[in-house]
Amino acid sequence: DVDGEGDLSAAEPMAPYAHARQVGDMGHGSALTYCVQVYDEGERLSVVTDAGSHGTHVAGIVAANFALDSALNGVAPGAQVLACKIGDGRLGSAETGTGLVRALIAAKARGCDLINLSYGEPAWQHDSGRVAETFTAAVRKWGMCVFTSAGNDGPALSSLGSPGALSAPICVGAYVSPAMMAEQYSMLPVADVSGASYSFSSRGPTPDGFMPSLCAPGGAIAPVPRHALQGKAQYHGTSMSSPNACGVAACVLSALKQAGLSVGPIELRRALENSARPIESEPFAQGAGLINAPAALAYALEHHGKPAQDLPFALSVPSRGCARGIYLRDAAELQGPLTFGVLVQPLFEHAATRTAAEVEELLSLELQLQLGPTAPWVTTPASMVLLSAKERGGQTFTVRLDPSTLPPGAHFAAVQAVDATDPARGPLFSLPITVVIPHAISPPPPLGALTPAQLETAGDETAAPPALSFPLTLQGGVPVRRFISVPESAEWAKVTLRSGRMANGPHAVLLHAVPSARGDLPNTACQTKRMLQLRELSEEVVQLPVRGGATLELCMQLSWLANPAPATLDAEVEFHSYGARGRAMHAPTTRIGSADAFARIEVGAPLRTERLAPQAELTAAERALRPSSSTITAGSAELDVLPPSDAELRAAADAPGEQIHSMLLQYSFDVAPEGDAKEQPVLARVQSLHEQLYDAPLDSMLWRLDDANGQTLQYGGAMHDAAETKLKKGSYSISVLLRHPDRAQLTALKELPLLLRMPLPKLDCVVHGGRGAASKGGHGGHEAVAEGWVRRGGHKDLYVCKPTTELPKWVSAGDVLTGHVALDKGSKEATKLPLAFEAPPAPVKKAEAADDDGDEEDEEVVGAALDEEAMACAKEARLVQEDVDELERSVFRARLQRLGALRKAASSAERYNALADAMLAESPPPLDKGKSLGLELLLEVLAFRRQAKPPAALAEADMAGWRAEQVQPAAEAVLDLIDADEVSTHFGRTHESEGASKAAKEHATMMDEQRSALRLALLARASALASLPVESESFSTAVAELKQWVDKPDALKEEEDKDALALTLMRHELARSRPGAALKVLRARLAVQEPGAKRAKEVGKECVKLYRDVLGLELWASNMEEALFAKFPVVKLPL
């Protein structure tokens, strides 16, 4: 429906792809294909096309099938692929909770055995959240084996995101073999490069100790969509390793089915992990090792049907917040007792009302387990008897660690539980243990230990030596890690890398620093990554944030792509601090309240003498909006019902699913750019749900920004900020969609605030060194803090003042202005503190001094003998007359207001004219402070005539003439009331408003009102004549007179009048045979139109006519039609 008319009768019918496999082409040589799907008995249409080439490439790795050349096939060319699009084109192909959950529902409905998810995001809480719960249900309740990419954020430890960090899916790291290096990447020949994990492959453990499952080849040349205009592409990433492993699983599963065996996701995972082949010394990227299809099949065939072979187990360490493993990284953690209790819970999937078979399964579970550590520094009991343990919520065993003999570095071990009667089965469950021993450093000497000479140079490097220096030998593809205990007070570190001789030329070295792995802060929120190009005998300096008291990992990996030859480096690390941030990675906000003059900050130099050059600035304004409405509805009956578990279906074939509900919140706001700015950039964010997807408390969150025309300007999701949208003056709305199965959860969020962030012209906040200067705002000769130094052990108080420059007029009370305080403005990496200033109420406007009772300054006292009694009587009489006049004006205003209401309600001409004619027949009341109510009445009548509905029987050809007959008399009535010469004379002179008399001010008000009325009347007259089919001399005269008073559109106040002016001038230029000038008028108007103008669409349509009918520019006309269709949508798509 390219015309936006709601008519599909001329369109070519298409059947849903699921039924007929029909595919369309977008045309224009793009080779962009699409298909359609229909849901909910025809109520929902989905037009599906690619958001990129990633998904096709991934599917090709799994199941590409080239009948004529099997060497080009995917891993499992016979597999059937169900393509579920989760990359939302509205969000740049980012995944959404809605897409993920609906894909899992669709996969279950169509009987999928395996799922591949080559997506991922950072997470705050691993293994929790609504989407995470749905993935767990897909595996444990719905019987599907899920493969996910580990993520591309390595090579440092603790860089796993979600869904790779979830327990239920199989997390796959990316492996590259020497053959892949040579053939896919054309690597230069080298003798000693081994297969390894790609540097980008995210590593475990997660903060709670969880590790990747296994690894698979992470690069491939595979098919991409036709619109990429190439048959295949070479991509690499864990997005490629996950489908590789999924394809292997498909082959194994296919062979098992051919053997007559039914294997569920838990049993399949156990076969894949217990048969994987370790390929490098550390397991942090590879997990159990490289996937091995023949070994996995042999394992599954040999051990199928054995006790608990298909039973999952959950392991947790209660004393560490129910962590899924043990991960000790900071020096303080290695000092206390290293004995931990481990809780083991068999995870049975049973119906709510257990069947007899399910009860028997609980009663019969009794596993004789042999417990064994994989490293001598771990001690465990030799065995345990594991029962269902339902009454105790699981069983426990104890683990003791003795890392005292371990050298510095990362060490991994596992406690494996195997069937004591059948050890060949391998582990039934495993507890991962990671211990990091920091490298020893020498702290700077205390000031009391320094000699007098050293004290004199306390700021020199001799007084505070580098924290750590060490040599590095880098091998291609092998990460080199150094773990450093950060001083308690440190805030950032300076890392210096110096290269030596390089016989084989320059090297590319990836530096990845993760300052801490404790807490819930994702590594992406605090890490530093740099790809450094190191030349011979060169030096590179990188500054990075650290957490005091934590263990910093510096991981460096030599790229094997350009130059895989080994390289040697010398590294030096020194720590810095102002003592202002504390141990938090994100410093608390420095707040200046709306009634405050300043905020106080304490800084020092606990580690070494530091340069102090503070600078504070505010860069954005944040505004919170509340929703104006909320609506909760049930989701699609076909797409949004979570299926019952397999156990529930076994117990009752008609077991119901769980309905997902949606809540739509509506927000409204206005934009009024200031000064010469025509647009105001705005960024919207649902702050309380931001940067949460897999771990979000809701199934999904999506928002849409619309202007007053209904045009969609921007979409935003849960994870990533949308780009700032530049908005013109006008009204806007934002719709926010939230989804959750529990209506009560949605109801609790019906007042959810929305954040608007608007950049500011930079506002400086002066930083003083004393409270007195800050309290006075710098007055009295106080200067800001100058650049200088804080000696080691020194202290300095800083006072950040509120901005002294005037805030933009659009900033409202309650807005929060945000920015930062840089303690060394010359260093981007030195400590910066967030800064916030709460906007105070606007200054109270002082009323102008008024004369006592009005006109006494203009009265003359006649004769000195006029006594006080006579003056009092005259004053009383005048006040009585003023009361009578004001009453008359009030009644007239009320009737005028009623007349306007009739016009806005599109009442009949009979009703309107009955009141208007009665008012016109009367004498208008006296002037009101220079304003004429009689003129307001005439303008009201003119407005009605301009928009009055024509008689129903009136022919289309007679419409323009009828309108002109209505408008011209009303316009002339306005013009007759105004002395144009007087108005012209008034505005032709300069008038001083300062110190003007009351009469002069009222006269100026009257002149301004009359000029505005004059312009409107002239516009109305010319506009009415412009619509007549035959050009007349009166039209040219009307336009000429209009141009005398309206030299530019901004001379008119209303957007509707500016559109009318553009249309009138366009028709005038056409009458003069100047189509180019006519087009220029319309394009100029379209460029500055504010959203919501009543005649905005009419201007666009006239532009289309001009392109097509006058200028013969059909392509331009078609493009304009498409732009109008987007700008003025007929139907709004659902979120």
Side-chain angles (χ1 to χ4, degrees):
D1 181 21
V2 295
D3 297 323
E5 296 176 352
D7 182 8
L8 295 172
S9 59
E12 181 181 347
M14 288 185 71
Y17 183 82
H19 296 281
R21 301 294 193 268
Q22 281 185 287
V23 176
D25 190 307
M26 291 292 185
H28 305 290
S30 66
L32 180 62
T33 55
Y34 67 92
C35 65
V36 300
Q37 299 284 20
V38 179
Y39 303 103
D40 298 331
E41 299 181 349
E43 292 297 318
R44 185 187 300 263
L45 169 68
S46 179
V47 181
V48 186
T49 189
D50 276 325
S53 56
H54 180 270
T56 303
H57 193 272
V58 166
I61 293 173
V62 175
N65 192 335
F66 292 87
L68 300 180
D69 189 354
S70 61
L72 302 178
N73 285 350
V75 180
Q80 299 298 300
V81 176
L82 174 69
C84 297
K85 181 180 177 181
I86 60 170
D88 197 313
R90 299 170 295 183
L91 303 176
S93 81
E95 76 272 46
T96 65
T98 299
L100 291 165
V101 173
R102 283 180 170 175
L104 292 174
I105 293 172
K108 177 59 178 174
R110 288 159 178 79
C112 292
D113 298 300
L114 305 171
I115 292 172
N116 179 77
L117 177 62
S118 291
Y119 265 86
E121 303 290 352
W124 294 79
Q125 296 174 297
H126 296 293
D127 220 30
S128 68
R130 277 293 308 151
V131 175
E133 291 170 7
T134 308
F135 272 98
T136 299
V139 175
R140 295 176 182 165
K141 294 184 177 181
W142 305 338
M144 299 182 291
C145 192
V146 179
F147 291 80
T148 72
S149 51
N152 301 328
D153 204 27
L157 302 190
S158 303
S159 51
L160 276 180
S162 283
L166 305 183
S167 297
I170 296 176
C171 173
V172 186
Y175 167 78
V176 58
S177 68
M180 292 170 63
M181 295 178 188
E183 294 176 16
Q184 289 190 33
Y185 301 96
S186 302
M187 181 186 72
L188 291 170
V190 67
D192 55 353
V193 171
S194 303
S197 296
Y198 278 93
S199 61
F200 57 73
S201 189
S202 291
R203 267 66 170 180
T206 61
D208 71 337
F210 186 75
M211 295 284 289
S213 307
L214 43 80
C215 67
I221 298 174
V224 291
R226 293 169 55 83
H227 64 76
L229 303 182
Q230 62 184 70
K232 299 182 182 66
Q234 192 275 320
Y235 293 164
H236 56 248
T238 55
S239 285
M240 285 65 247
S241 61
S242 181
N244 207 308
C246 190
V248 168
C251 294
V252 172
L253 199 59
S254 177
L256 291 172
K257 287 186 176 183
Q258 291 180 24
L261 301 181
S262 177
V263 174
I266 306 304
E267 189 172 354
L268 178 61
R269 176 174 184 165
R270 191 160 278 142
L272 294 173
E273 291 182 347
N274 286 350
S275 62
R277 177 171 59 88
I279 43 87
E280 54 188 3
S281 59
E282 64 174 34
F284 304 115
Q286 68 172 342
L290 183 65
I291 197 167
N292 187 333
L297 175 60
Y299 178 97
L301 289 171
E302 180 180 355
H303 300 297
H304 176 70
K306 292 183 177 179
Q309 190 67 10
D310 60 351
L311 181 64
F313 300 89
L315 275 69
S316 62
V317 183
S319 64
R320 296 185 65 82
C322 293
R324 293 170 292 172
I326 298 174
Y327 183 19
L328 306 179
R329 174 166 169 144
D330 294 343
E333 296 182 286
L334 302 175
Q335 296 173 1
L338 298 181
T339 300
F340 305 93
V342 180
L343 179 66
V344 184
Q345 295 172 294
L347 301 177
F348 298 95
E349 289 299 334
H350 292 162
T353 302
R354 291 189 179 88
T355 64
E358 290 170 345
V359 172
E360 189 59 34
E361 183 182 16
L362 293 175
L363 297 175
S364 62
L365 181 68
E366 185 173 340
L367 296 174
Q368 303 290 332
L369 298 179
Q370 176 182 323
L371 301 178
T374 60
W377 46 274
V378 180
T379 304
T380 66
S383 64
M384 72 178 300
V385 178
L386 184 62
L387 309 174
S388 67
K390 279 292 179 181
E391 64 177 357
R392 291 188 295 168
Q395 292 177 234
T396 60
F397 65 89
T398 300
V399 174
R400 181 176 295 117
L401 309 182
D402 181 13
S404 59
T405 60
L406 296 178
H411 305 272
F412 179 81
V415 176
Q416 297 179 338
V418 299
D419 185 348
T421 65
D422 189 2
R425 289 171 64 186
L428 292 179
F429 60 80
S430 180
L431 176 75
I433 302 173
T434 303
V435 172
V436 171
I437 304 299
H439 293 78
I441 62 172
S442 300
L447 290 177
L450 298 180
T451 66
Q454 289 175 321
L455 284 172
E456 287 295 322
T457 58
D460 296 342
E461 299 302 319
T462 55
L468 183 65
S469 298
F470 47 86
L472 295 169
T473 300
L474 305 181
Q475 301 285 338
V478 180
V480 174
R481 310 180 191 280
R482 290 292 183 272
F483 298 93
I484 305 169
S485 286
V486 177
E488 286 287 342
S489 57
E491 294 174 343
W492 80 98
K494 175 183 174 183
V495 179
T496 304
L497 299 177
R498 299 184 179 91
S499 61
R501 295 292 179 182
M502 294 182 174
N504 295 293
H507 283 278
V509 175
L510 176 62
L511 169 66
H512 189 188
V514 175
S516 176
R518 301 185 75 175
D520 61 2
L521 188 68
N523 66 290
T524 52
C526 60
Q527 69 185 12
T528 301
K529 294 183 84 169
R530 298 281 191 278
M531 180 60 79
L532 305 174
Q533 301 297 326
L534 295 180
R535 300 185 178 276
E536 190 174 59
L537 301 176
S538 65
E539 180 177 287
E540 290 283 346
V541 177
V542 178
Q543 297 194 80
L544 45 95
V546 297
R547 168 177 278 167
T551 296
L552 166 70
E553 178 189 359
L554 290 178
C555 179
M556 281 151 283
Q557 184 160 341
L558 179 69
S559 171
W560 44 260
L561 185 57
N563 184 359
T568 58
L569 302 173
D570 286 318
E572 183 179 277
V573 182
E574 67 177 32
F575 294 101
H576 294 261
S577 176
Y578 289 111
R581 198 185 72 201
R583 295 194 61 198
M585 285 302 304
H586 290 174
T589 299
T590 299
R591 171 186 170 274
I592 306 175
S594 59
D596 295 333
F598 56 82
R600 181 174 177 271
I601 302 172
E602 295 184 10
V603 298
L607 298 178
R608 63 186 68 246
T609 296
E610 303 288 1
R611 181 175 183 267
L612 183 65
Q615 181 183 57
E617 60 184 18
L618 299 168
T619 56
E622 297 183 350
R623 179 175 301 166
L625 303 179
R626 288 285 193 179
S628 56
S629 66
S630 61
T631 306
I632 299 178
T633 57
S636 164
E638 191 171 351
L639 299 172
D640 297 323
V641 177
L642 298 166
S645 69
D646 292 348
E648 293 290 353
L649 290 174
R650 287 193 296 267
D654 59 349
E658 186 177 20
Q659 176 71 62
I660 297 174
H661 295 86
S662 300
M663 180 168 69
L664 190 66
L665 301 175
Q666 298 285 356
Y667 303 79
S668 300
F669 65 98
D670 295 321
V671 168
E674 186 173 338
D676 295 333
K678 300 296 183 182
E679 297 174 319
Q680 172 66 55
V682 174
L683 184 148
R685 182 191 296 161
V686 183
Q687 184 72 22
S688 61
L689 299 175
H690 189 55
E691 295 182 332
Q692 297 178 87
L693 181 56
Y694 296 90
D695 56 338
L698 303 178
D699 287 50
S700 185
M701 185 277 289
L702 183 70
W703 59 260
R704 179 180 66 209
L705 169 63
D706 296 332
D707 66 14
N709 294 327
Q711 181 182 11
T712 295
L713 305 177
Q714 186 66 275
Y715 285 96
M719 277 305 303
H720 310 287
D721 272 327
E724 288 181 349
T725 309
K726 294 182 178 179
L727 303 180
K728 298 177 182 178
K729 179 182 178 182
S731 298
Y732 297 87
S733 64
I734 293 180
S735 304
V736 174
L737 180 72
L738 307 177
R739 288 163 46 92
H740 197 280
D742 188 353
R743 289 177 64 99
Q745 293 281 348
L746 297 175
T747 300
L749 295 173
K750 67 180 182 179
E751 297 296 336
L752 180 70
L754 175 78
L755 177 72
L756 295 182
R757 188 178 187 275
M758 296 156 283
L760 290 167
K762 190 177 71 170
L763 295 175
D764 290 327
C765 298
V766 179
V767 181
H768 288 287
R771 185 182 180 95
S775 300
K776 298 175 182 178
H779 295 294
H782 295 284
E783 296 182 356
V785 174
E787 296 184 19
W789 297 85
V790 181
R791 291 168 60 103
R792 183 181 166 216
H795 178 88
K796 182 72 174 176
D797 294 322
L798 301 179
Y799 292 83
V800 182
C801 294
K802 65 182 181 180
T804 55
T805 54
E806 186 176 353
L807 301 181
K809 293 180 181 178
W810 52 262
V811 173
S812 303
D815 290 354
V816 178
L817 280 57
T818 62
H820 64 267
V821 182
L823 297 179
D824 181 2
K825 62 185 179 183
S827 172
K828 294 181 179 179
E829 291 78 11
T831 298
K832 289 185 178 180
L833 306 176
L835 176 64
F837 171 53
E838 299 171 3
V844 177
K845 292 184 178 180
K846 296 179 175 60
E848 294 185 8
D851 298 320
D852 290 344
D853 286 306
D855 298 327
E856 285 154 66
E857 67 178 13
D858 298 324
E859 295 176 356
E860 295 183 4
V861 179
V862 183
L866 189 62
D867 59 18
E868 293 183 4
E869 183 177 354
M871 292 176 61
C873 290
K875 180 178 179 180
E876 188 66 23
R878 181 174 54 76
L879 293 176
V880 170
Q881 185 59 47
E882 285 183 0
D883 291 340
V884 172
D885 292 345
E886 183 56 36
L887 178 60
E888 184 179 356
R889 285 193 289 263
S890 297
V891 173
F892 192 89
R893 286 194 205 97
R895 297 168 72 192
L896 189 60
Q897 186 178 9
R898 179 57 184 165
L899 203 58
L902 291 174
R903 172 174 55 84
K904 293 175 182 177
S907 301
S908 66
E910 290 76 15
R911 287 184 64 189
Y912 188 91
N913 289 334
L915 179 56
D917 291 344
M919 295 180 68
L920 289 169
E922 303 170 359
S923 297
L927 293 178
D928 180 17
K929 296 181 181 178
K931 294 185 177 181
S932 169
L933 294 178
L935 183 57
E936 289 187 29
L937 172 60
L938 293 178
L939 290 173
E940 167 57 42
V941 172
L942 177 60
F944 177 78
R945 300 286 184 258
R946 292 176 70 185
Q947 68 182 52
K949 292 182 180 179
L954 190 66
E956 182 71 26
D958 300 329
M959 198 78 72
W962 178 87
R963 179 71 64 193
E965 292 174 359
Q966 294 289 311
V967 171
Q968 287 198 75
E972 294 297 339
V974 175
L975 296 174
D976 290 342
L977 192 63
I978 298 172
D979 186 341
D981 291 338
E982 182 185 3
V983 176
S984 178
T985 301
H986 174 82
F987 287 102
R989 295 180 302 188
T990 301
H991 300 274
E992 291 291 339
S993 58
E994 189 73 25
S997 67
K998 180 179 179 182
K1001 291 178 180 178
E1002 290 186 354
H1003 183 264
T1005 299
M1006 181 177 67
M1007 289 295 99
D1008 189 63
E1009 180 187 38
Q1010 289 190 7
R1011 182 176 63 171
S1012 297
L1014 185 65
R1015 288 169 169 171
L1016 286 177
L1018 292 172
L1019 174 62
R1021 184 174 66 181
S1023 179
L1025 293 171
S1027 301
L1028 293 176
V1030 179
E1031 165 68 6
S1032 64
E1033 184 177 348
S1034 58
F1035 175 46
S1036 297
T1037 303
V1039 171
E1041 191 173 354
L1042 172 63
K1043 286 184 175 181
Q1044 292 177 1
W1045 289 93
V1046 182
D1047 58 341
K1048 56 184 179 180
D1050 286 344
L1052 302 168
K1053 296 179 180 178
E1054 301 297 329
E1055 288 291 296
E1056 184 178 0
D1057 294 327
K1058 294 177 184 179
D1059 288 333
L1061 175 66
L1063 293 169
T1064 300
L1065 296 180
M1066 177 270 298
R1067 292 178 180 124
H1068 179 60
E1069 296 295 352
L1070 287 179
R1072 299 168 65 194
S1073 300
R1074 289 160 47 96
L1079 180 62
K1080 182 179 180 180
V1081 169
L1082 293 183
R1083 286 170 60 89
R1085 177 61 192 143
L1086 288 170
V1088 297
Q1089 267 181 340
E1090 294 177 8
K1094 293 182 180 179
R1095 302 188 68 179
K1097 191 173 184 179
E1098 184 182 349
V1099 176
K1101 287 186 173 181
E1102 288 296 330
C1103 198
V1104 171
K1105 290 181 183 178
L1106 199 55
Y1107 281 134
R1108 178 173 288 134
D1109 301 338
V1110 180
L1111 299 173
L1113 301 174
E1114 179 58 35
L1115 182 58
W1116 286 66
S1118 298
N1119 289 341
M1120 188 68 194
E1121 284 177 328
E1122 290 196 15
L1124 290 176
F1125 184 52
K1127 190 173 183 179
F1128 303 96
V1130 178
V1131 177
K1132 291 299 295 184
L1133 297 177
L1135 269 175

